[in-house]
Amino acid sequence: VQLQASGGGLVQAGGSLRLSCAASGDILRVNVMAWYRQAPGKARELVAAITRAGATNVAESVKGRLSISRDDVKNMMYFRLNSLKSEDTGVYYCKAEIWENGATGFLDYWGQGTLVTVSS
């Protein structure tokens, strides 16, 4: 099983960021999917999470600026962050709880991280 994040790069303050995350492999089911970010010199923090039912948990720092969605047929997760600020700079990681064929339950998988730099 692998998680592949894409998107990111250099974006202007006030602009928008789109990220996507793809889960691949011999997957039986994907449970909660989430985005985390790690700013320079800081700990990794949860940005947003979404359940299979579509319930979301969004960090206060991005509320009102973020949309998160998923496609359980394609095992994909999508993320859009608007009105970008310099403090949105960091490495963004996707994470998913995945039940792989042959496993005894859900395990956490992490994507490789994608760097987002917001320029002012």
Side-chain angles (χ1 to χ4, degrees):
V1 172
Q2 286 189 331
L3 282 183
Q4 181 72 40
S6 59
L10 180 64
V11 289
Q12 285 198 330
S16 296
L17 167 69
R18 292 177 186 265
L19 301 176
S20 60
C21 177
S24 62
D26 196 358
I27 296 170
L28 292 181
R29 193 174 179 89
V30 180
N31 197 17
V32 178
M33 303 184 81
W35 288 98
Y36 286 74
R37 71 183 178 194
Q38 187 164 18
K42 294 189 177 181
R44 193 175 297 187
E45 62 175 358
L46 175 68
V47 179
I50 183 168
T51 69
R52 286 185 65 86
T56 59
N57 179 21
V58 178
E60 285 294 327
S61 60
V62 297
K63 270 186 181 175
R65 300 192 291 130
L66 180 142
S67 67
I68 183 171
S69 62
R70 58 189 287 169
D71 182 332
D72 288 322
V73 173
K74 297 179 180 178
N75 288 330
M76 294 283 297
M77 175 173 59
Y78 306 98
F79 170 100
R80 180 183 172 115
L81 185 60
N82 299 318
S83 303
L84 288 169
K85 307 174 183 179
S86 58
E87 50 262 45
D88 294 320
T89 293
V91 179
Y92 284 70
Y93 299 88
C94 61
K95 174 180 168 284
E97 299 171 357
I98 297 175
W99 195 317
E100 183 180 6
N101 191 14
T104 56
F106 288 99
L107 294 176
D108 287 344
Y109 290 86
W110 289 87
Q112 81 283 11
T114 182
L115 177 62
V116 173
T117 303
V118 180
S119 65
S120 55

